[in-house]
Amino acid sequence: MKNKYKVTFKPMNVSIHVPEGESLLRAAILANVHINASCGGNGTCGKCKVILESGKINNITVMNLSQEEIKDGYYLACKVIVKDDIIVNIPIESQLGDKKVLIKDSKGIHRQPTQILSPEIIEDICKPDPIGKKYFLELAEPTLEDNISDIQRIIRELKNRYDIQEKDILVNNKVLRQIPYVLREARFKITVTLLNYKDKVILSRIEPGDTTHMQYALCIDVGTTSVYALLIDVTNGKILTEASDYNAQLTCGEDVITRIVFAQRKDGLSKLQGLIGETISNLANVVVDKCGITLEDISYLVVAGNTTMIHLLLGIPPQYIRETPYVPVSNTFPPTMVEELGININSHAYIYIIPSVASYLGGDIISGLIACSFTTRKEVCLYIDIGTNGEMVLGCGDWMVACSCSAGPALEGGTIKFGIRATEGAIEEVRINPLTYEPMILTIGQKKPIGICGSGLIDTVAELFECGIIDQQGKFYTHLNTEYIRRGESGFEYVLAFAENTDIGKDIVLTETDIEDLIRAKSAAYAGIKILLQNVGLTFDDIKYIIISGNFGTYVDIQKSITIGLFPEVPKDKFVFIGNGSLLGTRVCAMSKDMMETAERIANSITNFELSENKDFMDEFIKGLFLPYTDANEFKGVMDRIAISQRFGR
Amino acid sequence: MKNKYKVTFKPMNVSIHVPEGESLLRAAILANVHINASCGGNGTCGKCKVILESGKINNITVMNLSQEEIKDGYYLACKVIVKDDIIVNIPIESQLGDKKVLIKDSKGIHRQPTQILSPEIIEDICKPDPIGKKYFLELAEPTLEDNISDIQRIIRELKNRYDIQEKDILVNNKVLRQIPYVLREARFKITVTLLNYKDKVILSRIEPGDTTHMQYALCIDVGTTSVYALLIDVTNGKILTEASDYNAQLTCGEDVITRIVFAQRKDGLSKLQGLIGETISNLANVVVDKCGITLEDISYLVVAGNTTMIHLLLGIPPQYIRETPYVPVSNTFPPTMVEELGININSHAYIYIIPSVASYLGGDIISGLIACSFTTRKEVCLYIDIGTNGEMVLGCGDWMVACSCSAGPALEGGTIKFGIRATEGAIEEVRINPLTYEPMILTIGQKKPIGICGSGLIDTVAELFECGIIDQQGKFYTHLNTEYIRRGESGFEYVLAFAENTDIGKDIVLTETDIEDLIRAKSAAYAGIKILLQNVGLTFDDIKYIIISGNFGTYVDIQKSITIGLFPEVPKDKFVFIGNGSLLGTRVCAMSKDMMETAERIANSITNFELSENKDFMDEFIKGLFLPYTDANEFKGVMDRIAISQRFGR
C-alpha cells in the first residue's frame, strides 16, 4: 500500500489525500478544484501554475516559468509529484478568480477500486486444489521379480501413495517417450505433473528428482485489444508477477468483427492464431524472466477471453459468431497442449480455457463471475463488463440471467471523431469550468493530448450536461458565448484542446455526432440491465452490488457515468470495481479445480437473452436516448444536482 | 470352401482328398507317397514323373519330358494342378521300387488349420459393438431462440437420441475447426464418428450427410518380419480384404534385438518409426484400393504386435526391453491419431493398440487369446506362438500363466547354415526315403530351392531321426552309405539339394550344428510349457486344446514337431491351429469394445514367469536337448513308431 499525503489547495482551502506519486494536477481533479490545464498534463501549455507554500517536493521542471516565477516558488501543477503533505496556492491566472472554483461532489470510488477478491481471500472462496499438481515419487527399482513397465511402476505408486486410480490416469505418447530415460537418470526418484481433465488426470510431465517446490501456472486474459498475464506460484496461490501487452492481432483489425472478417481471408485464421500465440509466448517470457524461472517451469495455462478471441486462439473458424443467429462453434474446450496451438512455451504445458456461454458472452465474463464469487452469493448482484459490447449478468448463486448488448465502439473511443483507445496521450479525465466553460484535461501518461478515450468521453459529456452546455438530447445550447463552443464542419462542437497544445496539430473537439454515439452506447448498456431486471421481475433496489469489471470500469468515473445515464442511480456504495475480473478469475480457476468445474457449470446454466431482435430491448433503448434518461424519476439525484449546479454556475 | 478331389496313387493304391489347386507333388507329400523331387517343385529337375490314368487336367508343361513320354501320358507331378478326381501311376524311376514307398502316419491337420474362430462366429464371442461407430444426426437449424453452439447442438442430439452423455464426450480442436463448415454445407444433417476410449468417447470426425453405411476399420498385425492387414466393414464385421508386406524395418535389422540396438543410434528410433508407418500406410492403400474405398473412409485402426514393435511404432524408446530386468516403458497405450505417428492415412483416424503383458509377452499374444476366446473357456488350454521367441499361455477364463522363452532364431531360419525366412524358394516340406535316404522337397512357391525355413527344418530333422540317419542327440550315424550324408567343413551334413537343382549354385545342406540349434530351440519351447504346467500343478493330460498361433504354426507339421519333441505327445485332435491369431484378435477387438476392454483386463491379470534366470527352466531345458526328450516315456508313441519304421525301413 502506498503512503498517502494531504494536499491542500488555497485560497479555497480544499484538502484531499492522495497516494504518493500522484501529480498535483490530478490531486486537483480528484478534489474538484479547477486549475487551468490545456495540454493534458504535459507541461507544455504552462497554464497550471501553482505556488508552493509548504511541503517538500523535488521538481526540476522550469519549462514555461520565468526567472521571477521560479524565485517566487511557482511550479507547474502537472509536473509536481506528491511525496509529502503539501499546501499550494493557486494564483489568480490559474484559478479564474474566486467564484470560479467550484467544489462538486467528491469523485466516489474512482481510481480506488475495491477488489471484492483480494489475492489473500482465495481460500475463502474455495479450498486451494489447483487443476495441476506435482507429485514426488520414490519408486522401487525394477528387478526380475518386479519388472512391471515403467509407467505401471509410476501408476502403482500414485495409487498406493495418493489413491489415484489407474483408470483415471491419461498418459500421452510424448511423456512415454521420456519416461525410460528420466526414470533411470533419476534413479527412480521422480516428480510427475498431473493435470485435471473432467474426472481424469493427464500425466503431462515427468522430471528427475523432487521439483514439487517449483510449480507455476500462467494465467492469461486475452482481450481484443490487450492481453494480460499473471504468473502464479501454484504451491501457495500467490501472484509472482504480471505483465501485459497489446494483442498482436491489432494489426489485423481493431475489434472482434474486423478480426472475424480477417479470419475468413485465405490463411487469415492461421495468421490470427499465430499472432495471439506470439503475444502469449512473449508475455510468458517476460514473466518468467522477471521471476528467474524458465518457460519449462510452467505447468499449465488458464486462459479467459471473449468467445471470438478463444476461437482465434484455438484456430477455430469464428465466422458464424458474426452472422445471425450468432452461433459459436463451441463454448467449452478441452485442455490442449500449448505446442499444438503453435504457442512457443514448452512441450508439456496444457492450456485450459474458461468456458463461454454464447457468441457474445464469453469466458472472460464467466471468469469474472468466478473472481467475485458470484456463484456463492445469496444476494442478487449485477455484474457488468463494458467495452464495445456491454455484457451483464444478473443473479446470485442460485440463478443467473445474462445478456450482451452492442454498445458500439464509442465507449472505447471508436466512431468518435477524435476517439482513441486508452493509450498515452488519451484524454481520460475532464472537468469544465461552469462559468468560463474552459476545460481542465488530464491525459494518460500526462502527454500532450492526441485524442479522447472512453472515460474522457463520459467525463466530457457529463460535464457538458452538468454545465448546461448541452441539453437532455445531447444538443448544444447555441447561445453560449465562448471560444470553446463553436459551429464545426458538421454541427456544433466543444473544443477540449486547441491545436497548439496537442500533439496532433489539430484542435481536439467533441461533436454533436460524438455525443449522439455516446448516448446510443450508454442507452444500449442501460437497456440491457433493464431487460434483465424486467425478465426476473426485480428492480434496481433488489440489487445488492453492481460489480464493474474491465479496464473501462477501472478508469471510469462512477458519478459521471450515472450523470449520463450509463449506470443506474443507486447508492454509490453499491458499486464495486474489481478491475480485470477476467484475469482474476483465471487465477482462481488455476488454483481450484472445483472452481474450474464451477465455471463450466455456470457457463451451462446461465440463461442468456439474445437482444439483437428483441422488441422490449428496442423500446428500452429508445427510452435511454436522453441524458440521463426519458423518465427523470429514475435519475432524481442527477436532475436535482444539475438544477442546483446550473443555477449556481450561471 | 474349395472343392476337394480324390487323388489316387498307383501302384500302391493310396488315395487322398486334396483341395482344388494343389499340385500332384503336394498331394503325394500329404499322402506320404514318395516321388523323387529335388528342385522343390520347380519343374527343373524333371524327376517327379507320373503317368495319368484318369481325370482331367490342363497341364501344358512339357519341360523335361521326351516326345515319347508326352505321348505316353507322362507329366511332372509338381506341375499338375488338381481340378478333378485323378488316378496316376508312379513309374519306377520316380517310385524307387515297390518296397520303397512307405505309407507313414497321415499328416494330421497340417495345412488345414481349424480356425477356432471363424469370421461368422464373432457374434458368439461377443455382442458386436465396435470400438468406433458412426451416428447420423438430423439437427434442428439454429435460430435466435435456439442458438446454442454448434458442438452443443450435436451433443444435445447425441444425448436425446442415443443417450450419450455430454460429460463422456471428448472433442478435439481438430474436429471443432471443421464443424461449422460441415454443419452448414450439410444443412445440419451430419454423421459423427465416436471412438471409444476408457469410459468416454472421442468425437473423431464429422461428415456431411448420412455416411453410416461407410464404416471401416483397419486391423493390423505388426510382426518383426511381416505386417498383415485386414480391412473390416464395421457395419457387419465382415472382412473385406487382406494384404501383407514385409516390415520395412527389416532394412535396419532382422530381429527385435537388432532393431532395439538400431533404435539407440542417433535418429534410429525415428527412422524405425517412419519405416513401420510407411509399411502400414502402404498396406492401407492396398486394401482400400482393392475395395474401391478411400483412405478417408477408415475410421480407426486396431494394431497388435510384440512389445518392441509397438514401442517402435509409437516412437517410444525400447532400449530397456533388451536389458535385464527387461522393462518396457508401457504395456498399454492410449488411442492416438495416426497422423501423430507420421502414418499417412488420414487426419481423423485413431489407432488402438492391443495391450501387452511384458517386454516379451506382447499384444500379439493377447490378441491371439482374444481370437480363440481363451478368456471365456472353462477348460484349461495352452496357447503357443513360436518364432524367435516362444510365447505360451496356459489357463482358462479364470486364470492364466504365461512365459516367453528365447528359442533362438533357428525356427525362423536364423543361425541355420542355409536357413532363410519362409519366402519363395524356401524348402518348407521334406520327406526322406528311408531306404535310399533321398529327399523329396517342396519349396514355397514351388521355386528352385534357395534355402530352408523353419517348417522345412523341423521336417528334415524329424525325417533324419525317423529314418535312423541321426541319433537322439542329433548326431549323424556315420556308417550310412549315401551321397546325401557326408562330412562337410564342420562335421557331418545332410544334402537336401545338390547345387544343380538349386537357385544359389551351391548344395543346400543341413549340418550337425544346425540340428543342435534346432534341438536347443525346441527344447526351450518345450521347457517353457513344462514350467507353466509345473507352476500350476497340472500335466499335459489336463490340457483340453493346444492352440498354435502364428505363421510358423500354420505351416509346421504337427507330427514332425512331436517327433522332435517341440510339442508334447498328446492326441492330435487336441491341436488347433488358428493361423495369425494376433490378426484375428485385432478384428474381434475392432468389432467389440468389450473385447478391447477384456484385452486390457487380461493383459493386467496374466501371471508372467520371467524365465531368463530361472533355475527350473534351465533344468528342463537341459532335459530337452535330446530327440525327442531325455525321458522316452513322455514320447512313447514317437519312440515306438521310430523303432518300427527303422526296423521296417532297413
Side-chain angles (χ1 to χ4, degrees):
Chain A
M1 198 67 188
K2 286 182 177 176
N3 289 328
K4 286 201 159 197
Y5 295 104
K6 184 179 177 184
V7 178
T8 306
F9 294 98
K10 292 171 98 174
M12 63 290 285
N13 260 331
V14 172
S15 295
I16 190 166
H17 284 82
V18 297
E20 182 171 354
E22 286 284 14
S23 73
L24 261 189
L25 185 61
R26 181 127 222 295
I29 287 198
L30 291 177
N32 274 311
V33 169
H34 194 96
I35 305 177
N36 288 342
S38 303
C39 69
N42 181 240
T44 49
C45 73
K47 288 191 180 175
C48 62
K49 288 171 189 156
V50 294
I51 303 159
L52 184 68
E53 296 213 337
S54 81
K56 271 182 285 186
I57 60 170
N58 56 354
N59 177 283
I60 51 158
T61 306
V62 294
M63 185 166 58
N64 282 313
L65 294 172
S66 66
Q67 284 305 320
E68 196 169 348
E69 282 173 334
I70 293 170
K71 212 186 71 205
D72 290 346
Y74 276 70
Y75 293 90
L76 293 185
C78 68
K79 290 295 170 193
V80 173
I81 301 304
V82 176
K83 46 185 301 185
D84 194 1
D85 289 343
I86 282 173
I87 301 172
V88 288
N89 206 328
I90 305 177
I92 195 69
E93 65 270 29
S94 303
Q95 241 196 71
L96 308 167
D98 266 6
K99 280 176 115 179
K100 292 168 193 163
V101 177
L102 289 178
I103 299 158
K104 302 184 198 165
D105 275 5
S106 84
K107 284 269 297 182
I109 45 182
H110 178 44
R111 284 275 190 185
Q112 291 149 14
T114 310
Q115 288 194 359
I116 290 196
L117 181 83
S118 87
E120 286 67 36
I121 60 162
I122 282 197
E123 291 72 27
D124 296 344
I125 301 186
C126 57
K127 186 171 122 281
D129 184 12
I131 52 181
K133 234 186 298 189
K134 286 187 175 180
Y135 297 84
F136 175 58
L137 305 175
E138 295 186 89
L139 305 173
E141 298 204 16
T143 62
L144 275 174
E145 289 69 40
D146 172 28
N147 64 355
I148 56 171
S149 72
D150 287 344
I151 185 68
Q152 208 57 40
R153 190 169 299 277
I154 293 170
I155 288 171
R156 181 174 68 184
E157 188 70 7
L158 283 170
K159 178 161 190 285
N160 292 346
R161 282 211 46 189
Y162 300 103
D163 202 29
I164 299 167
Q165 301 303 310
E166 172 168 11
K167 72 175 178 50
D168 296 332
I169 302 175
L170 308 177
V171 183
N172 64 43
N173 289 321
K174 223 182 169 79
V175 171
L176 286 180
R177 286 173 197 141
Q178 298 160 348
I179 281 182
Y181 301 130
V182 176
L183 274 185
R184 286 163 185 85
E185 169 198 343
R187 301 198 66 80
F188 292 85
K189 291 176 183 41
I190 52 149
T191 301
V192 295
T193 305
L194 299 185
L195 302 181
N196 205 55
Y197 175 33
K198 296 204 172 188
D199 50 357
K200 310 246 177 260
V201 287
I202 299 166
L203 199 167
S204 66
R205 192 183 186 197
I206 169 172
E207 295 168 275
D210 184 355
T211 66
T212 50
H213 60 289
M214 303 273 288
Q215 302 191 45
Y216 303 97
L218 186 63
C219 297
I220 305 269
D221 168 52
V222 178
T224 310
T225 304
S226 298
V227 181
Y228 299 87
L230 287 181
L231 186 68
I232 302 288
D233 182 338
V234 174
T235 64
N236 55 24
K238 291 215 181 338
I239 297 174
L240 296 177
T241 188
E242 33 194 317
S244 69
D245 197 356
Y246 285 116
N247 184 332
Q249 294 175 343
L250 277 171
T251 55
C252 305
E254 295 246 334
D255 55 33
V256 158
I257 300 300
T258 51
R259 303 272 171 90
I260 294 176
V261 172
F262 190 95
Q264 289 176 246
R265 290 196 204 170
K266 186 171 179 315
D267 300 329
L269 177 56
S270 72
K271 172 150 195 206
L272 289 168
Q273 187 185 17
L275 287 169
I276 183 58
E278 269 173 38
T279 304
I280 291 176
S281 14
N282 290 344
L283 285 172
N285 272 296
V286 168
V287 295
V288 301
D289 283 354
K290 277 195 198 172
C291 297
I293 64 169
T294 69
L295 288 177
E296 280 296 308
D297 296 323
I298 296 174
S299 297
Y300 57 95
L301 284 77
V302 180
V303 174
N306 65 52
T307 309
T308 302
M309 286 309 115
I310 296 303
H311 276 58
L312 295 177
L313 172 64
L314 299 176
I316 297 171
Q319 176 170 351
Y320 300 100
I321 288 178
R322 188 180 144 236
E323 301 174 10
T324 179
Y326 317 111
V327 176
V329 176
S330 184
N331 288 310
T332 57
F333 305 92
T336 308
M337 287 195 136
V338 287
E339 225 185 18
E340 258 182 60
L341 303 179
I343 302 176
N344 199 5
I345 290 185
N346 63 42
S347 61
H348 57 81
Y350 278 71
I351 193 163
Y352 287 79
I353 308 284
I354 310 274
S356 331
V357 177
S359 277
Y360 294 102
L361 202 70
D364 48 349
I365 304 304
I366 300 300
S367 190
L369 294 176
I370 293 287
C372 61
S373 38
F374 213 92
T375 57
T376 53
R377 294 193 171 270
K378 296 274 167 262
E379 318 93 352
V380 173
C381 292
L382 177 65
Y383 180 95
I384 305 183
D385 189 330
I386 294 182
T388 297
N389 280 290
E391 291 111 348
M392 38 216 71
V393 182
L394 180 71
C396 57
D398 297 329
W399 57 269
M400 293 179 209
V401 293
C403 67
S404 157
C405 41
S406 177
L411 292 172
E412 292 193 318
T415 76
I416 303 302
K417 188 165 184 179
F418 287 92
I420 56 171
R421 282 197 306 271
T423 53
E424 285 206 336
I427 298 171
E428 62 163 350
E429 296 189 56
V430 176
R431 295 293 178 273
I432 296 174
N433 186 297
L435 298 177
T436 63
Y437 306 126
E438 187 176 354
M440 160 162 80
I441 63 171
L442 201 68
T443 59
I444 297 176
Q446 275 87 64
K447 304 289 181 195
K448 276 192 165 189
I450 57 170
I452 181 164
C453 68
S455 57
L457 181 67
I458 290 173
D459 270 19
T460 310
V461 174
E463 289 278 312
L464 289 172
F465 183 50
E466 287 195 27
C467 295
I469 300 170
I470 57 173
D471 65 14
Q472 271 205 284
Q473 290 180 285
K475 303 293 175 205
F476 280 91
Y477 290 111
T478 55
H479 64 281
L480 301 172
N481 184 23
T482 160
E483 58 179 333
Y484 295 103
I485 299 163
R486 67 189 189 197
R487 193 181 292 276
E489 288 166 9
S490 53
F492 276 87
E493 59 190 28
Y494 177 77
V495 182
L496 282 157
F498 286 104
E500 64 267 27
N501 288 320
T502 74
D503 226 5
I504 57 172
K506 276 190 277 192
D507 295 351
I508 294 174
V509 302
L510 192 74
T511 70
E512 253 177 24
T513 316
D514 292 343
I515 296 169
E516 262 169 40
D517 278 352
L518 177 68
I519 291 176
R520 297 174 75 84
K522 72 95 187 171
S523 180
Y526 192 74
I529 301 172
K530 297 266 290 192
I531 289 295
L532 291 186
L533 286 169
Q534 283 166 22
N535 268 286
V536 294
L538 296 180
T539 69
F540 287 118
D541 293 339
D542 298 311
I543 298 175
K544 173 85 172 178
Y545 291 115
I546 297 179
I547 301 161
I548 316 282
S549 169
N551 212 28
F552 174 83
T554 310
Y555 295 105
V556 86
D557 184 320
I558 192 69
Q559 182 57 60
K560 300 291 183 214
S561 301
I562 294 173
T563 300
I564 66 164
L566 169 63
F567 292 153
E569 188 172 77
V570 296
K572 276 201 283 301
D573 57 10
K574 284 198 174 186
F575 286 92
V576 184
F577 291 85
I578 60 165
N580 189 336
S582 170
L583 187 63
L584 286 176
T586 57
R587 178 174 164 240
V588 177
C589 288
M591 285 306 295
S592 163
K593 63 183 191 202
D594 282 355
M595 292 313 279
M596 190 74 196
E597 276 165 30
T598 300
E600 191 134 341
R601 186 174 56 72
I602 61 178
N604 285 329
S605 64
I606 289 181
T607 305
N608 182 44
F609 294 107
E610 196 59 65
L611 299 185
S612 57
E613 294 175 20
N614 181 305
K615 195 185 160 301
D616 293 341
F617 174 75
M618 283 312 293
D619 291 348
E620 268 305 324
F621 174 70
I622 286 161
K623 284 198 223 164
L625 296 176
F626 294 88
L627 294 173
Y629 191 63
T630 316
D631 181 358
N633 284 326
E634 283 201 24
F635 289 85
K636 260 185 148 49
V638 171
M639 297 311 286
D640 288 354
R641 212 155 31 75
I642 280 169
I644 294 165
S645 155
Q646 291 183 356
R647 203 164 40 234
F648 179 68
R650 270 178 289 176
Chain B
M1 199 63 192
K2 286 183 177 175
N3 289 326
K4 285 202 161 196
Y5 295 101
K6 183 179 179 186
V7 178
T8 306
F9 294 98
K10 294 172 95 175
M12 62 290 287
N13 259 329
V14 172
S15 296
I16 190 166
H17 284 84
V18 296
E20 183 171 352
E22 287 283 15
S23 71
L24 262 188
L25 186 61
R26 182 129 220 294
I29 286 197
L30 292 175
N32 274 311
V33 170
H34 194 96
I35 304 178
N36 288 345
S38 303
C39 69
N42 180 240
T44 50
C45 73
K47 286 191 181 176
C48 60
K49 289 171 192 157
V50 294
I51 305 159
L52 184 68
E53 297 213 337
S54 79
K56 270 181 286 186
I57 60 169
N58 56 351
N59 176 284
I60 52 158
T61 306
V62 294
M63 184 167 58
N64 282 313
L65 295 172
S66 65
Q67 285 303 321
E68 198 170 352
E69 282 173 335
I70 293 169
K71 210 185 74 198
D72 291 348
Y74 275 71
Y75 292 89
L76 292 185
C78 66
K79 290 296 169 189
V80 173
I81 301 304
V82 176
K83 47 187 299 188
D84 193 3
D85 288 345
I86 283 174
I87 301 173
V88 289
N89 206 326
I90 307 178
I92 195 71
E93 64 270 27
S94 303
Q95 241 196 72
L96 309 166
D98 263 7
K99 280 176 111 178
K100 292 167 195 164
V101 178
L102 289 179
I103 300 158
K104 301 182 197 167
D105 274 6
S106 83
K107 282 270 298 183
I109 43 183
H110 175 47
R111 284 275 189 182
Q112 292 148 15
T114 308
Q115 287 193 356
I116 289 196
L117 181 82
S118 87
E120 286 65 38
I121 60 161
I122 282 195
E123 291 72 28
D124 296 344
I125 299 187
C126 57
K127 188 170 118 279
D129 184 12
I131 51 181
K133 234 188 297 190
K134 286 187 176 182
Y135 298 85
F136 175 57
L137 304 176
E138 295 186 89
L139 305 173
E141 296 205 14
T143 62
L144 276 173
E145 290 69 41
D146 173 29
N147 64 355
I148 55 172
S149 72
D150 287 343
I151 185 68
Q152 208 58 38
R153 189 168 302 276
I154 293 170
I155 288 171
R156 182 174 67 183
E157 189 68 8
L158 283 171
K159 179 162 190 283
N160 292 345
R161 282 210 46 189
Y162 300 103
D163 202 30
I164 299 167
Q165 302 302 310
E166 173 168 11
K167 71 173 178 53
D168 295 332
I169 302 175
L170 308 177
V171 183
N172 64 42
N173 291 320
K174 221 180 170 83
V175 170
L176 286 179
R177 285 172 197 143
Q178 298 161 348
I179 281 181
Y181 302 129
V182 176
L183 274 186
R184 285 162 185 84
E185 168 198 343
R187 304 197 66 77
F188 292 85
K189 291 174 184 41
I190 52 149
T191 300
V192 295
T193 304
L194 300 184
L195 302 181
N196 203 58
Y197 176 34
K198 295 203 172 189
D199 49 357
K200 311 248 177 257
V201 286
I202 299 166
L203 199 167
S204 66
R205 191 183 186 196
I206 169 171
E207 295 168 275
D210 183 355
T211 66
T212 50
H213 59 291
M214 303 272 288
Q215 302 191 46
Y216 303 96
L218 185 63
C219 298
I220 307 267
D221 168 52
V222 178
T224 310
T225 304
S226 298
V227 181
Y228 299 88
L230 287 182
L231 185 68
I232 302 287
D233 183 337
V234 174
T235 65
N236 57 22
K238 292 216 181 339
I239 296 173
L240 297 176
T241 188
E242 34 195 316
S244 69
D245 197 358
Y246 285 116
N247 184 334
Q249 293 175 343
L250 277 171
T251 56
C252 304
E254 295 247 334
D255 56 35
V256 158
I257 299 301
T258 51
R259 302 272 170 89
I260 294 176
V261 172
F262 190 94
Q264 288 175 247
R265 289 195 204 172
K266 186 169 181 314
D267 300 328
L269 178 54
S270 72
K271 169 144 197 211
L272 289 169
Q273 188 184 17
L275 287 169
I276 182 60
E278 270 174 38
T279 303
I280 291 175
S281 17
N282 289 345
L283 285 172
N285 272 297
V286 168
V287 294
V288 301
D289 283 354
K290 276 195 199 175
C291 296
I293 64 170
T294 69
L295 288 176
E296 281 295 308
D297 296 322
I298 296 174
S299 298
Y300 57 95
L301 284 77
V302 180
V303 174
N306 66 52
T307 309
T308 301
M309 286 308 115
I310 296 302
H311 276 58
L312 296 177
L313 172 64
L314 300 176
I316 297 170
Q319 177 171 352
Y320 300 100
I321 287 178
R322 189 180 142 236
E323 301 173 12
T324 180
Y326 315 112
V327 176
V329 176
S330 184
N331 288 311
T332 58
F333 305 92
T336 307
M337 287 194 137
V338 286
E339 225 184 17
E340 259 182 58
L341 303 180
I343 301 176
N344 199 7
I345 290 185
N346 63 42
S347 61
H348 56 82
Y350 278 71
I351 194 163
Y352 287 79
I353 308 284
I354 310 274
S356 332
V357 178
S359 278
Y360 294 102
L361 202 68
D364 48 350
I365 304 304
I366 300 301
S367 189
L369 294 175
I370 292 286
C372 61
S373 40
F374 212 93
T375 59
T376 54
R377 295 193 170 268
K378 296 274 166 263
E379 315 94 350
V380 173
C381 292
L382 175 66
Y383 181 96
I384 306 182
D385 189 330
I386 294 182
T388 298
N389 279 291
E391 290 111 348
M392 39 215 73
V393 182
L394 179 72
C396 58
D398 297 329
W399 57 268
M400 294 179 208
V401 294
C403 69
S404 158
C405 43
S406 178
L411 292 172
E412 292 191 320
T415 74
I416 302 302
K417 188 165 185 182
F418 286 90
I420 56 172
R421 283 195 305 269
T423 53
E424 285 205 337
I427 298 170
E428 61 164 349
E429 298 189 55
V430 176
R431 295 292 177 275
I432 297 174
N433 187 296
L435 297 177
T436 62
Y437 307 126
E438 186 175 355
M440 161 162 80
I441 63 173
L442 200 68
T443 58
I444 297 176
Q446 274 86 66
K447 304 288 181 192
K448 274 191 165 187
I450 58 171
I452 182 164
C453 68
S455 56
L457 182 65
I458 290 172
D459 270 18
T460 311
V461 174
E463 289 277 313
L464 289 173
F465 183 51
E466 286 195 28
C467 294
I469 300 171
I470 56 173
D471 65 15
Q472 270 204 285
Q473 289 179 284
K475 302 295 174 203
F476 280 90
Y477 290 112
T478 54
H479 64 279
L480 301 171
N481 184 22
T482 161
E483 59 181 330
Y484 296 102
I485 300 161
R486 67 190 188 195
R487 190 181 295 274
E489 288 166 12
S490 54
F492 274 86
E493 60 191 27
Y494 178 77
V495 182
L496 281 157
F498 285 103
E500 65 268 26
N501 289 320
T502 74
D503 227 5
I504 55 172
K506 274 190 280 192
D507 296 351
I508 294 175
V509 302
L510 193 75
T511 68
E512 251 178 25
T513 316
D514 294 342
I515 296 169
E516 262 171 41
D517 277 353
L518 177 69
I519 291 176
R520 296 177 75 84
K522 72 94 188 172
S523 179
Y526 192 74
I529 302 171
K530 297 267 289 193
I531 289 294
L532 291 185
L533 284 168
Q534 283 167 21
N535 268 285
V536 294
L538 295 181
T539 68
F540 287 118
D541 292 339
D542 297 312
I543 298 175
K544 174 84 172 176
Y545 290 115
I546 296 179
I547 301 162
I548 315 282
S549 171
N551 212 28
F552 173 81
T554 309
Y555 296 104
V556 85
D557 184 320
I558 192 68
Q559 182 56 58
K560 301 290 181 213
S561 302
I562 294 173
T563 300
I564 65 163
L566 169 63
F567 292 152
E569 186 171 79
V570 296
K572 275 199 284 301
D573 57 9
K574 282 196 175 187
F575 285 91
V576 183
F577 291 85
I578 59 166
N580 190 336
S582 170
L583 187 63
L584 285 176
T586 57
R587 177 172 164 242
V588 177
C589 288
M591 284 306 293
S592 164
K593 62 185 190 201
D594 282 356
M595 292 313 280
M596 190 74 195
E597 276 165 30
T598 300
E600 192 135 340
R601 185 174 57 72
I602 62 178
N604 286 329
S605 63
I606 289 181
T607 305
N608 183 45
F609 294 107
E610 197 59 66
L611 299 185
S612 57
E613 295 176 20
N614 181 304
K615 194 185 162 298
D616 293 341
F617 173 75
M618 282 312 293
D619 290 347
E620 269 305 323
F621 174 70
I622 287 163
K623 284 199 224 164
L625 296 177
F626 295 87
L627 293 174
Y629 192 65
T630 317
D631 181 359
N633 284 326
E634 281 200 27
F635 289 84
K636 259 185 150 45
V638 171
M639 297 312 285
D640 288 353
R641 212 157 29 76
I642 282 169
I644 295 166
S645 156
Q646 290 182 355
R647 206 167 32 233
F648 179 68
R650 272 178 287 174

